[in-house]
Amino acid sequence: MDRGGCQMNGGGGQSGPEQPGMITLEDLESFSEDQLSDSGNGSLEEGGETMEDSENQDRLLHYWQDVARGHQVEVAQDMAEPIQQLTSNNQGRSQRQLIPFTLLGRKEKCGELLYEKRQYEKGRWACITMREDTYEQSICYGFMRIMRYICQQNSLGDYLGMTLPIITVVRTNETHSAMSNDVTVAYFLPDYHQAQPPQPTDNEIVIEIWPATTVYTRPFTGPTNEVTIIDQISAMAELLDSPGVCVNDSFIVAGYTNPAHSNRQNEIWFLERP
């Protein structure tokens, strides 16, 4: 992986009381499951009849706009269609692919997993680096632009399919006491697009080939804000037998589940130096 360039998340934010969930694909899933009646094929039924697409889009868009206001983020009207696409079945293509890896080792203590060592193979990623006023805004705006690429703003003009985790590359100072607002959001292209990746219409989204990389990963649950991420980086550095083998100023937060969920599933990744 390119340590200095494009290399996803969970979220960011301020310490203190937990803020509303970050805008991600899983927020949509939570909304569609908890607040709408989903027929299972992407349509929403009411009184036995399918609601109009425009009404579905409006309801989903308004939900996203409500979530975004808690993070000083504006969700534009043109996000309505991508948001709806990510909640629909997309002609049977809604299943999410987990990014493949080879497990190289595990370290446990008293039955508790401390960390895993994994090998991720060479692959193509779509990524965008954001430099907004706040860390949280960078993640939100970056993910929305990646969403547009996934949904239709690509050379195929089609939905590309979803992979997990979505990762966020975070950068810190030498002492790991502060994070930069310079944030990279990245999406691993599904296997069927790896050989010939559709090109983004957004010229700030870059398709990069990341080399095979060894990572040390530690799972954690709960919110992913600046405080918890710094805490997880510090905890992982203490657990590693030889932290010096890893990159010291760039880390990955991998997000698997809805950030608004009380038992959120995340991982912190340390990248082994080449």
PDB file of all heavy atoms in Angstrom, residues 253-265:
ATOM      1  N   VAL A 253      -8.052   2.612   9.874  1.00  0.00           N
ATOM      2  CA  VAL A 253      -9.222   2.215  10.641  1.00  0.00           C
ATOM      3  C   VAL A 253     -10.165   1.522   9.668  1.00  0.00           C
ATOM      4  O   VAL A 253     -10.546   2.090   8.647  1.00  0.00           O
ATOM      5  CB  VAL A 253      -9.927   3.421  11.289  1.00  0.00           C
ATOM      6  CG1 VAL A 253     -11.151   2.962  12.074  1.00  0.00           C
ATOM      7  CG2 VAL A 253      -8.967   4.174  12.201  1.00  0.00           C
ATOM      8  N   ALA A 254     -10.493   0.269   9.955  1.00  0.00           N
ATOM      9  CA  ALA A 254     -11.380  -0.515   9.095  1.00  0.00           C
ATOM     10  C   ALA A 254     -12.744  -0.616   9.763  1.00  0.00           C
ATOM     11  O   ALA A 254     -12.837  -1.024  10.920  1.00  0.00           O
ATOM     12  CB  ALA A 254     -10.789  -1.906   8.869  1.00  0.00           C
ATOM     13  N   GLY A 255     -13.785  -0.241   9.029  1.00  0.00           N
ATOM     14  CA  GLY A 255     -15.142  -0.259   9.582  1.00  0.00           C
ATOM     15  C   GLY A 255     -15.991  -1.321   8.916  1.00  0.00           C
ATOM     16  O   GLY A 255     -16.057  -1.399   7.697  1.00  0.00           O
ATOM     17  N   TYR A 256     -16.659  -2.145   9.734  1.00  0.00           N
ATOM     18  CA  TYR A 256     -17.467  -3.248   9.227  1.00  0.00           C
ATOM     19  C   TYR A 256     -18.961  -3.070   9.495  1.00  0.00           C
ATOM     20  O   TYR A 256     -19.777  -3.671   8.806  1.00  0.00           O
ATOM     21  CB  TYR A 256     -17.037  -4.567   9.872  1.00  0.00           C
ATOM     22  CG  TYR A 256     -15.667  -5.043   9.454  1.00  0.00           C
ATOM     23  CD1 TYR A 256     -14.521  -4.619  10.121  1.00  0.00           C
ATOM     24  CD2 TYR A 256     -15.517  -5.937   8.394  1.00  0.00           C
ATOM     25  CE1 TYR A 256     -13.262  -5.068   9.743  1.00  0.00           C
ATOM     26  CE2 TYR A 256     -14.258  -6.383   8.007  1.00  0.00           C
ATOM     27  CZ  TYR A 256     -13.134  -5.947   8.682  1.00  0.00           C
ATOM     28  OH  TYR A 256     -11.880  -6.380   8.306  1.00  0.00           O
ATOM     29  N   THR A 257     -19.316  -2.318  10.517  1.00  0.00           N
ATOM     30  CA  THR A 257     -20.732  -2.219  10.891  1.00  0.00           C
ATOM     31  C   THR A 257     -21.142  -0.778  11.123  1.00  0.00           C
ATOM     32  O   THR A 257     -20.304   0.130  11.154  1.00  0.00           O
ATOM     33  CB  THR A 257     -21.023  -3.031  12.168  1.00  0.00           C
ATOM     34  OG1 THR A 257     -20.097  -2.636  13.189  1.00  0.00           O
ATOM     35  CG2 THR A 257     -20.910  -4.524  11.935  1.00  0.00           C
ATOM     36  N   ASN A 258     -22.432  -0.594  11.301  1.00  0.00           N
ATOM     37  CA  ASN A 258     -23.031   0.718  11.461  1.00  0.00           C
ATOM     38  C   ASN A 258     -22.399   1.488  12.628  1.00  0.00           C
ATOM     39  O   ASN A 258     -22.455   1.049  13.769  1.00  0.00           O
ATOM     40  CB  ASN A 258     -24.532   0.523  11.709  1.00  0.00           C
ATOM     41  CG  ASN A 258     -25.258   1.812  11.999  1.00  0.00           C
ATOM     42  OD1 ASN A 258     -24.727   2.896  11.789  1.00  0.00           O
ATOM     43  ND2 ASN A 258     -26.479   1.689  12.484  1.00  0.00           N
ATOM     44  N   PRO A 259     -21.799   2.639  12.363  1.00  0.00           N
ATOM     45  CA  PRO A 259     -21.187   3.419  13.439  1.00  0.00           C
ATOM     46  C   PRO A 259     -22.171   3.899  14.495  1.00  0.00           C
ATOM     47  O   PRO A 259     -21.775   4.297  15.570  1.00  0.00           O
ATOM     48  CB  PRO A 259     -20.565   4.617  12.695  1.00  0.00           C
ATOM     49  CG  PRO A 259     -20.335   4.115  11.330  1.00  0.00           C
ATOM     50  CD  PRO A 259     -21.498   3.201  11.046  1.00  0.00           C
ATOM     51  N   ALA A 260     -23.473   3.887  14.181  1.00  0.00           N
ATOM     52  CA  ALA A 260     -24.473   4.288  15.177  1.00  0.00           C
ATOM     53  C   ALA A 260     -24.828   3.128  16.098  1.00  0.00           C
ATOM     54  O   ALA A 260     -25.522   3.305  17.087  1.00  0.00           O
ATOM     55  CB  ALA A 260     -25.733   4.803  14.475  1.00  0.00           C
ATOM     56  N   HIS A 261     -24.352   1.925  15.765  1.00  0.00           N
ATOM     57  CA  HIS A 261     -24.673   0.740  16.560  1.00  0.00           C
ATOM     58  C   HIS A 261     -23.885   0.756  17.862  1.00  0.00           C
ATOM     59  O   HIS A 261     -22.729   1.154  17.895  1.00  0.00           O
ATOM     60  CB  HIS A 261     -24.330  -0.513  15.750  1.00  0.00           C
ATOM     61  CG  HIS A 261     -24.936  -1.765  16.293  1.00  0.00           C
ATOM     62  ND1 HIS A 261     -24.419  -2.421  17.381  1.00  0.00           N
ATOM     63  CD2 HIS A 261     -26.019  -2.479  15.895  1.00  0.00           C
ATOM     64  CE1 HIS A 261     -25.153  -3.485  17.641  1.00  0.00           C
ATOM     65  NE2 HIS A 261     -26.131  -3.545  16.752  1.00  0.00           N
ATOM     66  N   SER A 262     -24.515   0.296  18.935  1.00  0.00           N
ATOM     67  CA  SER A 262     -23.860   0.340  20.246  1.00  0.00           C
ATOM     68  C   SER A 262     -22.691  -0.636  20.343  1.00  0.00           C
ATOM     69  O   SER A 262     -21.809  -0.471  21.169  1.00  0.00           O
ATOM     70  CB  SER A 262     -24.881   0.035  21.354  1.00  0.00           C
ATOM     71  OG  SER A 262     -25.449  -1.252  21.144  1.00  0.00           O
ATOM     72  N   ASN A 263     -22.691  -1.669  19.488  1.00  0.00           N
ATOM     73  CA  ASN A 263     -21.620  -2.663  19.517  1.00  0.00           C
ATOM     74  C   ASN A 263     -20.869  -2.662  18.186  1.00  0.00           C
ATOM     75  O   ASN A 263     -20.640  -3.695  17.575  1.00  0.00           O
ATOM     76  CB  ASN A 263     -22.199  -4.053  19.795  1.00  0.00           C
ATOM     77  CG  ASN A 263     -21.122  -5.045  20.172  1.00  0.00           C
ATOM     78  OD1 ASN A 263     -20.152  -4.693  20.831  1.00  0.00           O
ATOM     79  ND2 ASN A 263     -21.271  -6.289  19.737  1.00  0.00           N
ATOM     80  N   ARG A 264     -20.470  -1.490  17.759  1.00  0.00           N
ATOM     81  CA  ARG A 264     -19.812  -1.282  16.474  1.00  0.00           C
ATOM     82  C   ARG A 264     -18.555  -2.147  16.317  1.00  0.00           C
ATOM     83  O   ARG A 264     -17.770  -2.285  17.239  1.00  0.00           O
ATOM     84  CB  ARG A 264     -19.418   0.199  16.420  1.00  0.00           C
ATOM     85  CG  ARG A 264     -19.281   0.809  15.086  1.00  0.00           C
ATOM     86  CD  ARG A 264     -19.143   2.305  15.254  1.00  0.00           C
ATOM     87  NE  ARG A 264     -20.150   2.846  16.129  1.00  0.00           N
ATOM     88  CZ  ARG A 264     -20.138   4.083  16.590  1.00  0.00           C
ATOM     89  NH1 ARG A 264     -19.152   4.882  16.265  1.00  0.00           N
ATOM     90  NH2 ARG A 264     -21.103   4.512  17.354  1.00  0.00           N
ATOM     91  N   GLN A 265     -18.356  -2.735  15.143  1.00  0.00           N
ATOM     92  CA  GLN A 265     -17.206  -3.612  14.892  1.00  0.00           C
ATOM     93  C   GLN A 265     -16.177  -2.895  14.009  1.00  0.00           C
ATOM     94  O   GLN A 265     -16.479  -2.521  12.879  1.00  0.00           O
ATOM     95  CB  GLN A 265     -17.669  -4.897  14.202  1.00  0.00           C
ATOM     96  CG  GLN A 265     -18.721  -5.675  14.986  1.00  0.00           C
ATOM     97  CD  GLN A 265     -18.233  -6.103  16.358  1.00  0.00           C
ATOM     98  OE1 GLN A 265     -17.152  -6.691  16.475  1.00  0.00           O
ATOM     99  NE2 GLN A 265     -19.006  -5.809  17.392  1.00  0.00           N
TER     100      GLN A 265
END
